[in-house]
């Protein structure tokens, strides 16, 4: 259940590179270590966010909650949430105000920010790759395609919004394997929420995702949809808290925790 | 994943009987349905409790959080948390102030109570029984023995405390089965935290539990310890919030949700 020295070195190097200004999607980085979605809100909003996550554990599996103002996660000792992600989004009144590679000013503006690290589907991608299931967006060196759906999440206090999903095209004869492998990580989105039939999720144009890059779906491949940790960003858009900071979709926080810690 | 009509009728009858004044431990009641630990605190304390649960998911797996003042859980439509448990405990400044069969006055005193339903090991007992593993306290018609340990939980805000465990004596040749069966319910305490060696948990007298009834450990049986949903009560004792309401240990809230919903 411990990360190897090589993995930890790779995670630290990646965080240092992002701190130094590198901006690149993190899919495939530090293979075998957990990557996390970030959402930080002023302390006054923390209960609503934590309750929203508790009521919607498949899209919002909480891995760690930092205390107000804290920036060094237990999942990555020595790291700094203000600088160690490749790209951040700053939200004001539910509108995307800025994308930046350094979020230090967010903590200066709101010294009481409470940060949530939320599980990411990149973790089970490692298991899929090990099982010989191709991950198309990794092959294309693109960001995973993500879609807002018509499926509402359970509201909590002032927060509501719809489910966001990530999509991977899977050869029909490997769909069952992909379901079973991802299902072993219930704390990291788990099994798909939907297999095929994009319209059933309210997705009318599979070629135009709401976040990430356009997909390529090959002959005989089925679009498979997993609950996505960008769901809190859709909730920000719908619920309009005065301020929030998140990662940019696909540009995750690379932790020191091994995926195996969350495998059942 | 749905409960049978017979199970639901049994759960409703049990809740009605408790509402009518019956006081009896709930182990074995409505076989196959989830039973829950209850902790209700004034809204001002809700974030601390939810965060404590998030940081200690094995002893405190949150199944449902009701909104402030709400008393009808989604897990048991038509039920009333104020009356439908067989026995409650009222806590003032961390001291046990009262045990009662009707908690209505708690909501009158604190109309903003936020209630947490927390998973219970009785759920996996059903799986153990099905596998032919005897549950001693059920055989003896006693309450399960529970112990405060020397193992601290991760603190959260104003809340801290030590892990509480439940204990079942298991024949040595069935311990592995008991581990694997309970491990299939990670949201209901999951696999044991400790097998044998009570001293390693700081338990000096296994015959005298801190909650529940004294155990009988037979020849060739190993004491097996699971994280216990009474852990929040130990946190109340240690952290002394001005007011809290809980179930009495072993006298759980019987829900309409099938155990199978939480099996992985």
């Amino acid at each position: 259940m411990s990360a190897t020295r090589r993995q930890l070195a790779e995670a630290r190097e990646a965080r240092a590179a992002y701190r130094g200004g590198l901006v690149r999607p993190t899919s495939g980085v530090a293979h075998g270590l957990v990557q996390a979605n970030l959402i930080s809100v002023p302390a006054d909003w923390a209960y609503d966010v934590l309750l929203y996550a508790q009521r919607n554990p498949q899209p919002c599996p909480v891995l760690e909650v930092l205390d107000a103002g804290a920036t060094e996660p237990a999942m990555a000792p020595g790291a700094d949430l203000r600088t160690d992600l490749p790209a951040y989004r700053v939200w004001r009144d539910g509108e995307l105000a800025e994308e930046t590679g350094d979020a230090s000013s967010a903590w200066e503006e709101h010294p009481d920010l409470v940060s949530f690290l939320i599980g990411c589907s990149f973790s089970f991608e490692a298991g899929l790759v090990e099982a010989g299931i191709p991950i198309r967006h990794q092959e294309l060196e693109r960001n995973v395609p993500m879609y807002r759906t018509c499926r509402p999440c359970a509201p909590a206090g002032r927060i509501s919004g719809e489910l966001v999903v990530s999509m991977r095209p899977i050869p029909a004869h490997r769909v069952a394997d992909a379901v079973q492998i991802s299902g072993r990580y219930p704390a990291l989105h788990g099994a798909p929420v939907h297999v095929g039939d994009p319209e059933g999720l309210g997705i009318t144009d599979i070629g135009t995702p709401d976040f990430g890059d356009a997909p390529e779906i090959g002959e005989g491949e089925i679009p498979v949809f997993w609950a996505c940790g960008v769901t809190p960003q859709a909730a920000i858009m719908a619920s309009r808290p005065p301020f929030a900071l998140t990662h940019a979709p696909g540009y995750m926080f690379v932790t020191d925790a091994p995926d195996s810690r969350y495998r059942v």
Side-chain angles (χ1 to χ4, degrees), chain A:
Chain A
M1 304 261 283
S2 277
T4 66
R5 204 173 285 208
R6 189 195 54 72
Q7 287 175 317
L8 292 175
E10 203 185 325
R12 278 185 207 125
E13 275 161 33
R15 293 194 299 260
Y18 306 143
R19 197 181 316 140
L22 180 69
V23 178
R24 188 182 293 168
T26 53
S27 175
V29 170
H31 184 85
L33 297 188
V34 170
Q35 299 193 11
N37 300 274
L38 172 70
I39 176 170
S40 304
V41 292
D44 168 45
W45 282 76
Y47 182 66
D48 299 65
V49 171
L50 186 54
L51 188 59
Y52 190 71
Q54 192 281 324
R55 289 183 176 165
N56 301 284
Q58 204 166 3
C60 309
V62 177
L63 304 179
E64 183 175 349
V65 184
L66 282 78
D67 288 329
T71 56
E72 182 183 352
M75 294 179 72
D80 189 329
L81 284 186
R82 293 170 295 192
T83 53
D84 289 6
L85 282 74
Y88 298 86
R89 289 181 157 187
V90 176
W91 303 82
R92 296 184 191 279
D93 298 318
E95 307 280 347
L96 178 58
E98 189 193 350
E99 245 186 58
T100 176
D102 184 336
S104 298
S105 62
W107 266 268
E108 284 162 23
E109 187 182 332
H110 292 280
D112 68 338
L113 280 185
V114 174
S115 296
F116 298 81
L117 297 178
I118 289 176
C120 166
S121 54
F122 291 172
S123 293
F124 64 68
E125 285 185 352
L128 298 180
V129 168
E130 277 166 29
I133 298 173
I135 303 293
R136 179 66 35 75
H137 60 269
Q138 286 189 8
E139 293 174 342
L140 297 171
E141 299 194 342
R142 290 187 191 166
N143 199 345
V144 63
M146 293 161 271
Y147 305 84
R148 300 174 75 170
T149 70
C150 60
R151 200 181 288 186
C153 288
R158 293 165 287 181
I159 299 196
S160 61
E162 74 281 8
L163 174 69
V164 175
V165 293
S166 63
M167 190 281 285
R168 291 162 189 78
I170 306 283
H173 71 287
R174 303 307 307 272
V175 168
D177 295 330
V179 168
Q180 295 197 300
I181 291 165
S182 56
R184 282 177 212 144
Y185 298 89
L188 301 170
H189 301 313
V193 292
H194 206 78
V195 177
D197 180 33
E199 294 77 13
L201 288 172
I203 299 170
T204 50
D205 181 3
I206 192 89
T208 310
D210 296 298
F211 309 95
D213 293 325
E216 284 184 12
I217 305 181
E219 191 69 27
E221 292 180 340
I222 309 296
V224 179
F225 301 94
W226 278 268
C228 178
V230 171
T231 298
Q233 298 192 28
I236 290 169
M237 295 182 210
S239 313
R240 311 179 73 81
F243 185 88
L245 176 77
T246 69
H247 71 291
Y251 299 77
M252 319 302 294
F253 179 61
V254 179
T255 79
D256 287 355
D259 292 327
S260 58
R261 186 181 296 170
Y262 297 95
R263 191 159 52 212
V264 295

